[in-house]
Amino acid sequence: MKGYVFHSPGQAAWEEVPDPGIQEATDAIVRVDAVTICGTDLHILKGDVPEVPPGTVLGHEAVGEIVEVGSDVRSVRPGDRVLVSCISACGRCRYCREAMYGQCRGGGGWVLGHLIDGTQAEYVRVPFADLSVHPLPAAVDSEDAVLVADIFPTSYEVGVLNGHVRPGDTVAVVGAGPIGLAAIATARLFSPERIVAVDLTPARLEAARKLGAEAVADAHEAPEQLIADLTEGLGADVVIEAVGVPDSFELCTRMVRPGGHVANVGVHGKPVTLHLEDLWIKNVTITTGLVDTHSTPTLLRMAASGRLPTSQLVTHTFPLDRMEEAYEVFAHAAETGALKVVLGGPQREVVAVHAP
């Protein structure tokens, strides 16, 4: 088969790789029908995630069809259409028992496209299939469903839930890329008084407005003052960091009110200065996190009922074999206007086999 293989920082290619096979009785093999590219994949290519070994197929989110399962898999079977979660869960370790699947100590966590071959390929081996794939409702098409593999649970859990968004809050989202936009969409579920989006790109700020941000601010034009003006000088109740660079994190800590929450979602590749000389007296809570995907079943139900604006985030689609082009478009989002790119393989004819 073919897959998108990481070789070294700045070097990756769509090329021939071995077909995956069942290695453990809990594995499933999924034929990939739709896959997307994550900002974390770009961080890997920049060298920000040195744990990824050369030769790894990238990608950690997909929709596809089960083609083979190990002998211990009970919840899915060949022919089932499934969502491949960005997080794998053994289901037995202490963290999995606490629904903290991202911290799995039994061989799961974020492994796809990180420690083992991932989803940006024609087929993928998914460990711990009973807890790591989700049967898809017929009402959710592949292009929409693939966004529930990572960005929506990440934004919802690490941003909105960790940030303790409540009715009547002022919520600031710094970074209006896919994660930030999904944070805006899911923060609205809690009826905040207002959501303010901060970004450098006018197109992304416009997308933020369409998804429900009541106010937007250019990151270069004193967004702290806008927040102060809107809140009578108090600051934002919740600030969600969705970029992953030092300047954006420090901006978040300047915008939050005393007693407020800063929820860091962005993947940071460089050290950040934590100004405790200013923050120690303000009762500020700062959270970090890797998504656990415990909310995925709920989000899938919401997607099936039309309550999640998944399709609004997809700006570009490609066939699977144009992976390198899709990466270029996604990596240069300021020029291309890309939010999420979705790649889908060609539809394959299904041949029925009848017993003699």
Side-chain angles (χ1 to χ4, degrees):
M1 70 169 188
K2 285 193 171 183
Y4 192 67
V5 181
F6 170 76
H7 292 291
S8 63
Q11 300 294 322
W14 178 254
E15 60 189 44
E16 293 284 343
V17 293
D19 292 344
I22 297 292
Q23 297 181 17
E24 303 288 344
T26 52
D27 289 349
I29 305 300
V30 176
R31 184 197 71 201
V32 174
D33 291 330
V35 68
T36 185
I37 301 170
C38 180
T40 305
D41 297 321
L42 299 183
H43 280 283
I44 292 171
L45 289 176
K46 291 177 183 176
D48 291 342
V49 191
E51 301 85 9
V52 179
T56 301
V57 175
L58 296 183
H60 49 264
E61 46 202 324
V63 169
E65 181 180 313
I66 300 284
V67 296
E68 187 179 1
V69 295
S71 58
D72 286 351
V73 176
R74 298 289 181 266
S75 64
V76 291
R77 60 185 180 180
D80 286 351
R81 180 170 168 262
V82 296
L83 173 74
V84 178
S85 175
C86 64
I87 297 295
S88 303
C90 79
R92 297 184 296 273
C93 72
R94 173 175 175 174
Y95 286 118
C96 284
R97 288 177 179 271
E98 296 175 359
M100 294 176 62
Y101 306 124
Q103 305 300 324
C104 175
R105 298 294 297 273
W110 174 35
V111 293
L112 290 172
H114 179 206
L115 305 179
I116 66 174
D117 285 339
T119 58
Q120 290 171 4
E122 294 175 309
Y123 293 86
V124 59
R125 178 181 75 89
V126 183
F128 309 115
D130 279 331
L131 284 173
S132 306
V133 302
H134 300 268
L136 279 178
V140 184
D141 67 29
S142 297
E143 186 176 283
D144 291 336
V146 75
L147 300 192
V148 186
D150 185 355
I151 68 163
F152 270 93
T154 294
S155 300
Y156 181 59
E157 295 174 19
V158 186
V160 175
L161 296 185
N162 279 4
H164 293 270
V165 175
R166 297 175 300 180
D169 277 354
T170 292
V171 178
V173 179
V174 178
I179 288 289
L181 293 173
I184 290 168
T186 51
R188 292 188 68 201
L189 301 172
F190 291 84
S191 301
E193 179 181 1
R194 63 176 67 86
I195 299 173
V196 182
V198 180
D199 201 278
L200 295 170
T201 307
R204 290 191 166 188
L205 292 175
E206 180 59 30
R209 283 191 184 277
K210 291 179 179 178
L211 283 167
E214 284 80 10
V216 299
D218 187 303
H220 287 320
E221 297 179 0
E224 304 104 304
Q225 187 59 52
L226 173 62
I227 293 293
D229 291 344
L230 291 172
T231 61
E232 299 181 347
L234 288 178
D237 300 281
V238 181
V239 187
I240 297 173
E241 199 285 338
V243 181
V245 298
D247 286 349
S248 62
F249 179 82
E250 292 180 29
L251 172 62
C252 291
T253 62
R254 294 196 301 270
M255 291 197 299
V256 69
R257 70 166 174 83
H261 289 76
V262 175
N264 184 90
V265 188
V267 177
H268 289 265
K270 296 179 180 179
V272 174
T273 300
L274 180 62
H275 289 285
L276 284 177
E277 74 277 11
D278 296 323
L279 296 171
W280 73 271
I281 201 170
K282 294 184 177 179
N283 295 22
V284 171
T285 299
I286 298 174
T287 57
T288 66
L290 174 66
V291 64
D292 293 310
T293 66
H294 60 75
S295 66
T296 301
T298 298
L299 294 171
L300 279 174
R301 291 195 300 272
M302 295 180 66
S305 65
R307 296 294 302 278
L308 288 183
T310 49
S311 60
Q312 294 184 45
L313 272 67
V314 178
T315 54
H316 296 73
T317 57
F318 299 87
L320 204 59
D321 60 5
R322 289 169 60 188
M323 186 70 69
E324 293 176 353
E325 180 183 351
Y327 260 89
E328 282 295 310
V329 168
F330 186 61
H332 297 90
E335 294 81 28
T336 64
L339 294 175
K340 287 298 283 184
V341 301
V342 173
L343 299 99
Q347 295 298 308
R348 299 166 178 85
E349 183 180 359
V350 178
V351 179
V353 178
H354 301 282

